[in-house]
Amino acid sequence: MSDCRRQWNREDELPVYLAGPITTGSNQRKTYGMFSSVEGAFESKTIDFENYAVGRKGSRTPRSGSRERLLDTGDPISKLPSEARESSLNGSPGERDEARSRAEVRFSSGTENLNGKSERLLIKGGRVVNDDQSFYADVYIEDGLIKQVGENLVVPGGVKVIEANGRMVIPGGIDVNTCLMKSYLGTQPVDDFFQGTKAALAGGTTMIIDHVAPQPGDSLLEAFERWQEAADKKACCDYSLHVDIPQWNENVKDELELLVQDKGINSFQVYMAYKDVYQMTDSELYEAFSFLKQLGAVVLVHAENGDLIAQEQRKILGMGITGPEGHPLSRPEELEAEAVFRAITLGNRVNCPVYITKVMSKSAADTITQARRKGSVVFGEPITASLATDGSHYWSKNWAKAAAYVTSPPLSPDQTTPDHLHTLLACGDLQVVGSSHCAYSTSQKAIGKDDFTLIPEGINGVEERMGFVWDKAVTMGKMDENQFVAVTSTNAAKIFNLYPRKGRIAVGSDADIVIWDPDSVKTITAKLQQSAAEYNIFEGLECRGGPVLVLSQGQVVYEEGKLHAQQGTGRFIPRKPFPDYAYQRVKFRNQVKRKQGVTRGIYDGPVYDVAPTPKYITPSPSAKTSPTSHQPPPIRNLHQSNFSLSGAQIDDNIPRRSGHRIVAPPGGRSNITSLG
Amino acid sequence: DHFGDRLIIKGGKIVNDDQSFYADIYVEDGTIKQIGENLIVPSGVKTVDAYGQLVIPGGIDANTNLYSPQKGLNPADDFYQGTRAALSGGTTTIMDHVLVEPGTSLLTAFDQWKDAAEQRACCDFSLHVDITRWHEGLYEELETLVKDKGVNSFLFFMAYKDKYQSSDSQLYEAFSVLRDLGAIAQVHAENGDIIDEEQKKLLCLGITGPEGHVISHSEEVETEAVYRAITIAKQSNCPLYVTKVMSKSAADVIAKARKKGMVVYGEPITAGLATDGSHYWSKDWAIAAAFVTSPPLNPDPSTPQYLTSLLACGDLQVTSSAQASFSTAQKAVGKDNFTLIPEGTNGIEERMSVVWDRAVATGMMDENEFVAVTSTNAAKLFSMYPRKGRIAVGSDADIVIWNPKETRIISANTHNLNLEVNIFEGLEFRGVASVVISGGRVLLEDGKLNVTEGSGRFIPRKAFPDIVYKRIKARSKMAEAHGVPRGNYDGPVHDVISMTKSVPPTPTTRGPPCPKTLTGPRNLHQSGFTLAGAQIDDHIPRRSAQRIVAPPGGRSNITSLS
């Protein structure tokens, strides 16, 4: 892919996608080769992202930087972990070749404030890698946006120059699944928006999409605002939010509409697990899917069969198994695959895009693969943990270690799982890599020390996400660098309607850029991580590939192992509904799938008379009435009123053959409901 | 003569599921007494000539509904008409479904069905019990039915929302109980929640005709439920029998699960093997409505052939008819609303011929496999073997002389049912039962049907059928999960503050557990550890987190908190 620029050398073949949504006139394209700056290119190719800021106009202009930056009290950079990391990186001779060229920062001329509001940057000599192609080009950044991509760019003086020295320049990663504020029994994860986004940046991820997790009965809007407020104060990188729907009812609908239309949320999570807490029935799921489809949102599904999990948990506790191994034992792979299958079926019936969060097992992934082969609009998200480790650790003798792996669905004990998931990721059957980062300390996990069902669920992975995909997929030859960019960034941006603002290095996109070193090697350990958790589930694993330099909003936030992240610099990125990537096919299918009835003459034959007075109005309730008996649904059931299931007939005393009383009034009966 | 005739069947080729051979059969007292050549028999014995024909065990129809009312309507063909039709088609045993309305007694319903059948049925019968509302209170009745009444198969509905539908939890509990009792779980596999929503949607769109039935009961909905049922059965380690496999993808799910070692069986029906769902779009309302059954016939015209091939290779095991006949006038109850159309198709009479014509005559299946799928497999699964389903000394004299050369054309004018419509109208099938012997009596001969009302006997069935339960038993031993022996965790434990709002996901909030499934030791965790409770220092305001309780010397047991 790297020699693409040669193929694209003639200017009349300028790829359309490099131009902005506003096409420039052909007369404007001239001289300097295809990637050079063109007169007027800044204006015409810059996407007006103000349009995306639905409902938040005037609240703040994202790029002005006028907002007060809450500086971290105490220098976060001088914190022990980062120091230790740097010293270890520099100190281990085998891992780092000092003589090798590395990214350098220098100023061409003049003086420019490093923390200046409108920093101008030029990334020189890098190989730009997008999801579709790679090419050598310089990238010029101003005001947090990519202004020019090309060779021999004409840039103003005083520009800070970053020498990429032939390394990969990739769009910053997007982690679509983090839970940095999801409380458990009143306790907060140890990684909040500050810790969590710091860890993200250190791993090359420049945007997260966090889950707003309200409790049943809470207002979704209020929860959303709480999350947004916290993130605005603390996040060091751009963020967006998914909203979890803890239960389905009429009130939720209004809030959802508001969230989609005014707040810039286009993805909502529903749960098929957590019985009696978050779990929805199939009917509720059907309604939720239908409603969210009308709004143009993407449905995220936590797919596990909660009914069966509850039963299994009870059984396993009954057997006296209380340790973390009870967690995977009560949540076998089949229950995940079953729920995925059901979610896809619902999605197909409603004709709604479905996004499966946390694909943890081979069979769940295969179910998604098969459904995609049949044309379902379904996306699958494996996470760092399922791609890099397995569930054997649940049987660890060390309780704290075993508990650290507790997440739902659990890591599969099958050790071939990570490899299989990487294969599917490489061939496009799975699309997005998340982390599901939700860090609880060991003392928090110990809430469940005598009952595994009480262990707070969550694992780390936001920092290690990109590294492990590189290490296990790209260096193994499963995946090329373009697909790497697709699964770590671009696909997520497309599915959640952030594209091309995020997920692409192109003129007009946000300057969230990572210079990636494919050869750096580090050993994961809790001592050197950004996360505040005291245990890292990838402890001791070696990971090849990592960021050398990370730009977020055009600012250098990570460089040579040093973080310069500033608390509160992250912006909320609103998202519009009806992302093309998910909804285009759905829209067409809507048109095709219009169901057609058969036009028939009216049936005018005899109609059997149904007894109007049912005998079994109330089925005699035995002493032990079912505790699980169905409550009448809130929606009026059109089919319950009119007929009896079995009942006394007026002429029961007359002996007769199995039944032939025909009522066919002259002129016919127009409507069967008149019988009631 | 109560014990039937003395008969000798001469010159036929005896076909069992494992082999075929030429021999004569001597029948006395309703059982097969001798098999062989040159038998020594008493004089005055009636001779049945079977030269050039096959002598097969009488068919077993594992799924009929001859007595269950739908929406207050009794089927147009009851035990008499139904079994008469069965006999004329070569079926000598039926297994009827006892539909127990929610809230009523299983035993009462069973007795009612048994009485009715004993008075009316012309051939032997056995009964499945359909459980429409599961709760633990049913355990005693179930135990009685299995241990004393000879019922070892129970059907659960995953469809018919708010009426018969069982939730996943209920299915799991019920399956666990059935496994302990040694019975087979049957499911009507369709996702009732989705169907209900789709029905509402279609009615809103103004689609009220029978085509609405097939649109709302889509293939996926069936497949999903089959997949889920198998998952539940796997978790509860209970054998599963899926009634009415109507679509390719549902059959595939069963086939795949069997390849992974699940104990699951699939039953295609006459209609699914012989015709397809295109008729739902018929301009004639009565024709379209006649095809209404659940799951519906699949609109894909290649479905019958596909199901037949899975039947031939053993991925599906049993053929039945799912006979439930409702007259056009009865079906017309739903003339303005397809959800009110009583569900059911005919097929009890045509079943054996359909399988012969579609599978054996086309070369997909041999005659032994034909016997297996029409009779022997059902007998084995439902504990009637070798009394039924085999021609062997000591077996019941339910014998059919099968003429593979003869053909017949199906028509409502000539069939033996009351029904005025036959969904196979005009189809021609090769293979006809020329002589049918039930209980040692010749009931069909020379085209004449000579049945006696009430001559059918109830066939009780034992629990733990070998073919099903040998594997289940072995797996129960293997499946014991073991905990990891660890030292006690003695590190700090985060203090959980009393939260009124959040619901802790404890198992105790999930309602009373089924006492029968709790076979393990006493649950140590239900007693001590309270998540929400007053603490000594509740009056002190504090931050939401970070209080670590780790007293000096460590706390030996967390339960001392309460």
PDB file of all heavy atoms in Angstrom, chain A residues 282-283 286 322 325 334 348 443 450 598 600 608 630 645, chain B residues 72 161 165 191 198 211 220 234 282 329 484 494 525 558:
ATOM      1  N   ASP A 282     -37.908 -10.165  25.312  1.00  0.00           N
ATOM      2  CA  ASP A 282     -37.859 -10.066  23.858  1.00  0.00           C
ATOM      3  C   ASP A 282     -38.865  -9.039  23.339  1.00  0.00           C
ATOM      4  O   ASP A 282     -38.596  -8.327  22.375  1.00  0.00           O
ATOM      5  CB  ASP A 282     -38.131 -11.434  23.224  1.00  0.00           C
ATOM      6  CG  ASP A 282     -36.979 -12.395  23.464  1.00  0.00           C
ATOM      7  OD1 ASP A 282     -35.983 -11.976  24.076  1.00  0.00           O
ATOM      8  OD2 ASP A 282     -37.078 -13.545  23.041  1.00  0.00           O
ATOM      9  N   SER A 283     -40.029  -8.982  23.967  1.00  0.00           N
ATOM     10  CA  SER A 283     -41.030  -7.999  23.530  1.00  0.00           C
ATOM     11  C   SER A 283     -40.501  -6.588  23.715  1.00  0.00           C
ATOM     12  O   SER A 283     -40.642  -5.732  22.836  1.00  0.00           O
ATOM     13  CB  SER A 283     -42.309  -8.138  24.345  1.00  0.00           C
ATOM     14  OG  SER A 283     -42.926  -9.349  24.064  1.00  0.00           O
ATOM     15  N   TYR A 286     -37.915  -5.868  21.197  1.00  0.00           N
ATOM     16  CA  TYR A 286     -38.523  -5.608  19.891  1.00  0.00           C
ATOM     17  C   TYR A 286     -39.012  -4.159  19.816  1.00  0.00           C
ATOM     18  O   TYR A 286     -38.760  -3.445  18.849  1.00  0.00           O
ATOM     19  CB  TYR A 286     -39.676  -6.577  19.658  1.00  0.00           C
ATOM     20  CG  TYR A 286     -40.245  -6.555  18.257  1.00  0.00           C
ATOM     21  CD1 TYR A 286     -39.870  -7.513  17.327  1.00  0.00           C
ATOM     22  CD2 TYR A 286     -41.157  -5.587  17.857  1.00  0.00           C
ATOM     23  CE1 TYR A 286     -40.388  -7.514  16.045  1.00  0.00           C
ATOM     24  CE2 TYR A 286     -41.677  -5.562  16.582  1.00  0.00           C
ATOM     25  CZ  TYR A 286     -41.291  -6.532  15.679  1.00  0.00           C
ATOM     26  OH  TYR A 286     -41.799  -6.524  14.409  1.00  0.00           O
ATOM     27  N   THR A 322     -17.946 -20.575  45.314  1.00  0.00           N
ATOM     28  CA  THR A 322     -18.173 -19.155  45.562  1.00  0.00           C
ATOM     29  C   THR A 322     -17.093 -18.275  44.955  1.00  0.00           C
ATOM     30  O   THR A 322     -17.216 -17.059  44.932  1.00  0.00           O
ATOM     31  CB  THR A 322     -18.187 -18.875  47.081  1.00  0.00           C
ATOM     32  OG1 THR A 322     -16.930 -19.294  47.616  1.00  0.00           O
ATOM     33  CG2 THR A 322     -19.295 -19.610  47.765  1.00  0.00           C
ATOM     34  N   GLU A 325     -14.123 -18.511  39.799  1.00  0.00           N
ATOM     35  CA  GLU A 325     -14.347 -19.522  38.758  1.00  0.00           C
ATOM     36  C   GLU A 325     -15.841 -19.771  38.555  1.00  0.00           C
ATOM     37  O   GLU A 325     -16.253 -20.254  37.507  1.00  0.00           O
ATOM     38  CB  GLU A 325     -13.606 -20.818  39.085  1.00  0.00           C
ATOM     39  CG  GLU A 325     -14.140 -21.615  40.279  1.00  0.00           C
ATOM     40  CD  GLU A 325     -13.611 -21.087  41.600  1.00  0.00           C
ATOM     41  OE1 GLU A 325     -12.996 -19.991  41.596  1.00  0.00           O
ATOM     42  OE2 GLU A 325     -13.799 -21.736  42.627  1.00  0.00           O
ATOM     43  N   GLU A 334     -22.182 -20.809  25.487  1.00  0.00           N
ATOM     44  CA  GLU A 334     -23.444 -21.046  24.772  1.00  0.00           C
ATOM     45  C   GLU A 334     -24.466 -19.954  25.062  1.00  0.00           C
ATOM     46  O   GLU A 334     -25.253 -19.594  24.202  1.00  0.00           O
ATOM     47  CB  GLU A 334     -24.060 -22.391  25.180  1.00  0.00           C
ATOM     48  CG  GLU A 334     -23.375 -23.597  24.596  1.00  0.00           C
ATOM     49  CD  GLU A 334     -22.257 -24.108  25.481  1.00  0.00           C
ATOM     50  OE1 GLU A 334     -21.893 -23.390  26.445  1.00  0.00           O
ATOM     51  OE2 GLU A 334     -21.746 -25.199  25.205  1.00  0.00           O
ATOM     52  N   ASN A 348     -33.085  -8.488  12.618  1.00  0.00           N
ATOM     53  CA  ASN A 348     -33.589  -8.800  11.283  1.00  0.00           C
ATOM     54  C   ASN A 348     -35.079  -8.547  11.171  1.00  0.00           C
ATOM     55  O   ASN A 348     -35.559  -8.021  10.170  1.00  0.00           O
ATOM     56  CB  ASN A 348     -33.326 -10.272  10.943  1.00  0.00           C
ATOM     57  CG  ASN A 348     -31.873 -10.535  10.670  1.00  0.00           C
ATOM     58  OD1 ASN A 348     -31.091  -9.604  10.484  1.00  0.00           O
ATOM     59  ND2 ASN A 348     -31.502 -11.791  10.651  1.00  0.00           N
ATOM     60  N   SER A 443      -9.771  -4.172  46.407  1.00  0.00           N
ATOM     61  CA  SER A 443     -10.654  -4.117  47.572  1.00  0.00           C
ATOM     62  C   SER A 443     -12.105  -3.967  47.141  1.00  0.00           C
ATOM     63  O   SER A 443     -13.016  -4.459  47.797  1.00  0.00           O
ATOM     64  CB  SER A 443     -10.236  -2.983  48.503  1.00  0.00           C
ATOM     65  OG  SER A 443     -10.523  -1.738  47.911  1.00  0.00           O
ATOM     66  N   ASP A 450     -16.886 -13.674  48.965  1.00  0.00           N
ATOM     67  CA  ASP A 450     -17.563 -14.899  49.367  1.00  0.00           C
ATOM     68  C   ASP A 450     -18.711 -15.262  48.440  1.00  0.00           C
ATOM     69  O   ASP A 450     -19.469 -16.184  48.713  1.00  0.00           O
ATOM     70  CB  ASP A 450     -18.089 -14.749  50.798  1.00  0.00           C
ATOM     71  CG  ASP A 450     -16.963 -14.552  51.767  1.00  0.00           C
ATOM     72  OD1 ASP A 450     -16.013 -15.352  51.714  1.00  0.00           O
ATOM     73  OD2 ASP A 450     -17.009 -13.587  52.557  1.00  0.00           O
ATOM     74  N   VAL A 598     -52.834  -9.906   0.504  1.00  0.00           N
ATOM     75  CA  VAL A 598     -53.461 -10.434  -0.702  1.00  0.00           C
ATOM     76  C   VAL A 598     -54.846  -9.811  -0.803  1.00  0.00           C
ATOM     77  O   VAL A 598     -55.588  -9.775   0.185  1.00  0.00           O
ATOM     78  CB  VAL A 598     -53.578 -11.970  -0.623  1.00  0.00           C
ATOM     79  CG1 VAL A 598     -54.300 -12.508  -1.837  1.00  0.00           C
ATOM     80  CG2 VAL A 598     -52.210 -12.591  -0.478  1.00  0.00           C
ATOM     81  N   ARG A 600     -58.376 -10.179  -1.698  1.00  0.00           N
ATOM     82  CA  ARG A 600     -59.298 -11.287  -1.922  1.00  0.00           C
ATOM     83  C   ARG A 600     -60.711 -10.744  -1.867  1.00  0.00           C
ATOM     84  O   ARG A 600     -60.978  -9.704  -1.261  1.00  0.00           O
ATOM     85  CB  ARG A 600     -59.197 -12.327  -0.803  1.00  0.00           C
ATOM     86  CG  ARG A 600     -57.903 -13.053  -0.710  1.00  0.00           C
ATOM     87  CD  ARG A 600     -58.060 -14.210   0.285  1.00  0.00           C
ATOM     88  NE  ARG A 600     -56.811 -14.919   0.406  1.00  0.00           N
ATOM     89  CZ  ARG A 600     -55.865 -14.594   1.271  1.00  0.00           C
ATOM     90  NH1 ARG A 600     -56.030 -13.587   2.063  1.00  0.00           N
ATOM     91  NH2 ARG A 600     -54.753 -15.291   1.321  1.00  0.00           N
ATOM     92  N   TYR A 608     -68.231 -20.557  11.919  1.00  0.00           N
ATOM     93  CA  TYR A 608     -68.563 -21.256  13.163  1.00  0.00           C
ATOM     94  C   TYR A 608     -68.830 -20.243  14.254  1.00  0.00           C
ATOM     95  O   TYR A 608     -68.145 -19.240  14.370  1.00  0.00           O
ATOM     96  CB  TYR A 608     -67.380 -22.134  13.545  1.00  0.00           C
ATOM     97  CG  TYR A 608     -67.747 -23.279  14.431  1.00  0.00           C
ATOM     98  CD1 TYR A 608     -68.123 -24.504  13.868  1.00  0.00           C
ATOM     99  CD2 TYR A 608     -67.704 -23.170  15.797  1.00  0.00           C
ATOM    100  CE1 TYR A 608     -68.447 -25.568  14.657  1.00  0.00           C
ATOM    101  CE2 TYR A 608     -68.036 -24.229  16.608  1.00  0.00           C
ATOM    102  CZ  TYR A 608     -68.410 -25.440  16.040  1.00  0.00           C
ATOM    103  OH  TYR A 608     -68.724 -26.496  16.831  1.00  0.00           O
ATOM    104  N   HIS A 630     -47.454 -15.092  34.074  1.00  0.00           N
ATOM    105  CA  HIS A 630     -47.354 -13.862  33.288  1.00  0.00           C
ATOM    106  C   HIS A 630     -48.315 -12.806  33.795  1.00  0.00           C
ATOM    107  O   HIS A 630     -49.488 -13.061  33.989  1.00  0.00           O
ATOM    108  CB  HIS A 630     -47.665 -14.166  31.830  1.00  0.00           C
ATOM    109  CG  HIS A 630     -46.631 -15.012  31.203  1.00  0.00           C
ATOM    110  ND1 HIS A 630     -45.378 -14.566  30.925  1.00  0.00           N
ATOM    111  CD2 HIS A 630     -46.669 -16.301  30.832  1.00  0.00           C
ATOM    112  CE1 HIS A 630     -44.680 -15.522  30.391  1.00  0.00           C
ATOM    113  NE2 HIS A 630     -45.437 -16.601  30.337  1.00  0.00           N
ATOM    114  N   LEU A 645     -61.477 -19.953  25.428  1.00  0.00           N
ATOM    115  CA  LEU A 645     -60.626 -21.057  25.024  1.00  0.00           C
ATOM    116  C   LEU A 645     -61.399 -22.349  25.011  1.00  0.00           C
ATOM    117  O   LEU A 645     -61.143 -23.239  24.242  1.00  0.00           O
ATOM    118  CB  LEU A 645     -59.468 -21.164  25.998  1.00  0.00           C
ATOM    119  CG  LEU A 645     -58.559 -19.953  25.922  1.00  0.00           C
ATOM    120  CD1 LEU A 645     -57.505 -20.038  26.980  1.00  0.00           C
ATOM    121  CD2 LEU A 645     -57.942 -19.887  24.537  1.00  0.00           C
TER     122      LEU A 645
ATOM    123  N   GLY B  72     -61.947 -22.487  21.921  1.00  0.00           N
ATOM    124  CA  GLY B  72     -63.300 -22.971  22.148  1.00  0.00           C
ATOM    125  C   GLY B  72     -63.835 -23.874  21.059  1.00  0.00           C
ATOM    126  O   GLY B  72     -64.969 -24.329  21.129  1.00  0.00           O
ATOM    127  N   LYS B 161     -47.788 -16.003  23.272  1.00  0.00           N
ATOM    128  CA  LYS B 161     -47.501 -15.096  24.368  1.00  0.00           C
ATOM    129  C   LYS B 161     -48.745 -14.814  25.204  1.00  0.00           C
ATOM    130  O   LYS B 161     -49.835 -14.688  24.673  1.00  0.00           O
ATOM    131  CB  LYS B 161     -46.965 -13.778  23.798  1.00  0.00           C
ATOM    132  CG  LYS B 161     -46.272 -12.947  24.823  1.00  0.00           C
ATOM    133  CD  LYS B 161     -45.912 -11.591  24.284  1.00  0.00           C
ATOM    134  CE  LYS B 161     -45.467 -10.738  25.440  1.00  0.00           C
ATOM    135  NZ  LYS B 161     -45.528  -9.325  25.101  1.00  0.00           N
ATOM    136  N   GLN B 165     -47.119 -19.443  26.628  1.00  0.00           N
ATOM    137  CA  GLN B 165     -45.672 -19.286  26.521  1.00  0.00           C
ATOM    138  C   GLN B 165     -44.941 -19.434  27.855  1.00  0.00           C
ATOM    139  O   GLN B 165     -45.382 -18.927  28.877  1.00  0.00           O
ATOM    140  CB  GLN B 165     -45.379 -17.901  25.938  1.00  0.00           C
ATOM    141  CG  GLN B 165     -43.933 -17.697  25.555  1.00  0.00           C
ATOM    142  CD  GLN B 165     -43.742 -16.373  24.846  1.00  0.00           C
ATOM    143  OE1 GLN B 165     -44.602 -15.952  24.072  1.00  0.00           O
ATOM    144  NE2 GLN B 165     -42.641 -15.713  25.091  1.00  0.00           N
ATOM    145  N   ASN B 191     -40.487 -17.938  18.691  1.00  0.00           N
ATOM    146  CA  ASN B 191     -40.352 -16.818  19.637  1.00  0.00           C
ATOM    147  C   ASN B 191     -41.671 -16.047  19.713  1.00  0.00           C
ATOM    148  O   ASN B 191     -41.984 -15.224  18.849  1.00  0.00           O
ATOM    149  CB  ASN B 191     -39.207 -15.898  19.193  1.00  0.00           C
ATOM    150  CG  ASN B 191     -38.908 -14.835  20.224  1.00  0.00           C
ATOM    151  OD1 ASN B 191     -39.824 -14.219  20.770  1.00  0.00           O
ATOM    152  ND2 ASN B 191     -37.647 -14.612  20.499  1.00  0.00           N
ATOM    153  N   GLU B 198     -45.101  -8.701  15.819  1.00  0.00           N
ATOM    154  CA  GLU B 198     -45.291  -8.659  14.367  1.00  0.00           C
ATOM    155  C   GLU B 198     -46.774  -8.749  13.996  1.00  0.00           C
ATOM    156  O   GLU B 198     -47.215  -8.125  13.038  1.00  0.00           O
ATOM    157  CB  GLU B 198     -44.530  -9.816  13.716  1.00  0.00           C
ATOM    158  CG  GLU B 198     -43.047  -9.789  14.023  1.00  0.00           C
ATOM    159  CD  GLU B 198     -42.209  -9.422  12.831  1.00  0.00           C
ATOM    160  OE1 GLU B 198     -42.304 -10.134  11.820  1.00  0.00           O
ATOM    161  OE2 GLU B 198     -41.483  -8.431  12.895  1.00  0.00           O
ATOM    162  N   GLU B 211     -52.155 -14.792   4.792  1.00  0.00           N
ATOM    163  CA  GLU B 211     -50.750 -14.497   4.507  1.00  0.00           C
ATOM    164  C   GLU B 211     -50.093 -13.790   5.683  1.00  0.00           C
ATOM    165  O   GLU B 211     -48.877 -13.885   5.873  1.00  0.00           O
ATOM    166  CB  GLU B 211     -50.619 -13.674   3.219  1.00  0.00           C
ATOM    167  CG  GLU B 211     -51.140 -12.240   3.291  1.00  0.00           C
ATOM    168  CD  GLU B 211     -52.645 -12.168   3.088  1.00  0.00           C
ATOM    169  OE1 GLU B 211     -53.292 -13.233   3.063  1.00  0.00           O
ATOM    170  OE2 GLU B 211     -53.173 -11.045   2.958  1.00  0.00           O
ATOM    171  N   GLU B 220     -37.104 -17.139  10.754  1.00  0.00           N
ATOM    172  CA  GLU B 220     -36.089 -16.760  11.744  1.00  0.00           C
ATOM    173  C   GLU B 220     -36.600 -16.933  13.162  1.00  0.00           C
ATOM    174  O   GLU B 220     -35.848 -17.290  14.068  1.00  0.00           O
ATOM    175  CB  GLU B 220     -35.736 -15.285  11.574  1.00  0.00           C
ATOM    176  CG  GLU B 220     -34.895 -14.993  10.388  1.00  0.00           C
ATOM    177  CD  GLU B 220     -34.703 -13.494  10.271  1.00  0.00           C
ATOM    178  OE1 GLU B 220     -35.694 -12.764  10.079  1.00  0.00           O
ATOM    179  OE2 GLU B 220     -33.564 -13.068  10.388  1.00  0.00           O
ATOM    180  N   LYS B 234     -29.194 -27.879  26.789  1.00  0.00           N
ATOM    181  CA  LYS B 234     -27.773 -28.176  27.045  1.00  0.00           C
ATOM    182  C   LYS B 234     -27.418 -27.794  28.475  1.00  0.00           C
ATOM    183  O   LYS B 234     -26.758 -28.550  29.195  1.00  0.00           O
ATOM    184  CB  LYS B 234     -26.929 -27.383  26.050  1.00  0.00           C
ATOM    185  CG  LYS B 234     -25.468 -27.222  26.409  1.00  0.00           C
ATOM    186  CD  LYS B 234     -24.621 -28.284  25.731  1.00  0.00           C
ATOM    187  CE  LYS B 234     -23.250 -28.474  26.350  1.00  0.00           C
ATOM    188  NZ  LYS B 234     -22.416 -27.311  26.353  1.00  0.00           N
ATOM    189  N   SER B 282     -52.881 -17.748  -1.575  1.00  0.00           N
ATOM    190  CA  SER B 282     -53.964 -18.144  -2.474  1.00  0.00           C
ATOM    191  C   SER B 282     -55.088 -17.105  -2.441  1.00  0.00           C
ATOM    192  O   SER B 282     -55.390 -16.525  -1.406  1.00  0.00           O
ATOM    193  CB  SER B 282     -54.498 -19.512  -2.046  1.00  0.00           C
ATOM    194  OG  SER B 282     -55.738 -19.754  -2.660  1.00  0.00           O
ATOM    195  N   ALA B 329     -65.560 -23.640   8.197  1.00  0.00           N
ATOM    196  CA  ALA B 329     -66.401 -22.744   9.000  1.00  0.00           C
ATOM    197  C   ALA B 329     -65.699 -22.378  10.294  1.00  0.00           C
ATOM    198  O   ALA B 329     -65.793 -21.244  10.782  1.00  0.00           O
ATOM    199  CB  ALA B 329     -67.730 -23.424   9.295  1.00  0.00           C
ATOM    200  N   VAL B 484     -12.273 -23.888  43.023  1.00  0.00           N
ATOM    201  CA  VAL B 484     -10.828 -23.854  43.243  1.00  0.00           C
ATOM    202  C   VAL B 484     -10.593 -23.715  44.744  1.00  0.00           C
ATOM    203  O   VAL B 484     -11.112 -22.786  45.362  1.00  0.00           O
ATOM    204  CB  VAL B 484     -10.204 -22.652  42.503  1.00  0.00           C
ATOM    205  CG1 VAL B 484      -8.714 -22.559  42.804  1.00  0.00           C
ATOM    206  CG2 VAL B 484     -10.456 -22.754  41.019  1.00  0.00           C
ATOM    207  N   HIS B 494     -13.631  -3.330  50.141  1.00  0.00           N
ATOM    208  CA  HIS B 494     -14.300  -2.052  50.012  1.00  0.00           C
ATOM    209  C   HIS B 494     -15.629  -2.104  50.745  1.00  0.00           C
ATOM    210  O   HIS B 494     -16.368  -3.073  50.644  1.00  0.00           O
ATOM    211  CB  HIS B 494     -14.535  -1.763  48.537  1.00  0.00           C
ATOM    212  CG  HIS B 494     -14.792  -0.325  48.259  1.00  0.00           C
ATOM    213  ND1 HIS B 494     -13.794   0.534  47.915  1.00  0.00           N
ATOM    214  CD2 HIS B 494     -15.929   0.400  48.290  1.00  0.00           C
ATOM    215  CE1 HIS B 494     -14.307   1.732  47.745  1.00  0.00           C
ATOM    216  NE2 HIS B 494     -15.591   1.687  47.963  1.00  0.00           N
ATOM    217  N   HIS B 525     -24.768 -18.662  51.364  1.00  0.00           N
ATOM    218  CA  HIS B 525     -24.660 -17.229  51.114  1.00  0.00           C
ATOM    219  C   HIS B 525     -25.958 -16.514  51.261  1.00  0.00           C
ATOM    220  O   HIS B 525     -26.044 -15.318  51.068  1.00  0.00           O
ATOM    221  CB  HIS B 525     -24.123 -17.006  49.715  1.00  0.00           C
ATOM    222  CG  HIS B 525     -22.999 -17.903  49.460  1.00  0.00           C
ATOM    223  ND1 HIS B 525     -21.807 -17.773  50.104  1.00  0.00           N
ATOM    224  CD2 HIS B 525     -22.907 -19.011  48.707  1.00  0.00           C
ATOM    225  CE1 HIS B 525     -21.018 -18.750  49.728  1.00  0.00           C
ATOM    226  NE2 HIS B 525     -21.661 -19.514  48.897  1.00  0.00           N
ATOM    227  N   ILE B 558     -16.419 -12.529  56.786  1.00  0.00           N
ATOM    228  CA  ILE B 558     -17.153 -11.340  56.389  1.00  0.00           C
ATOM    229  C   ILE B 558     -18.554 -11.338  56.986  1.00  0.00           C
ATOM    230  O   ILE B 558     -19.169 -10.307  57.171  1.00  0.00           O
ATOM    231  CB  ILE B 558     -17.212 -11.242  54.860  1.00  0.00           C
ATOM    232  CG1 ILE B 558     -17.704  -9.865  54.425  1.00  0.00           C
ATOM    233  CG2 ILE B 558     -18.079 -12.308  54.270  1.00  0.00           C
ATOM    234  CD1 ILE B 558     -16.705  -8.786  54.661  1.00  0.00           C
TER     235      ILE B 558
END
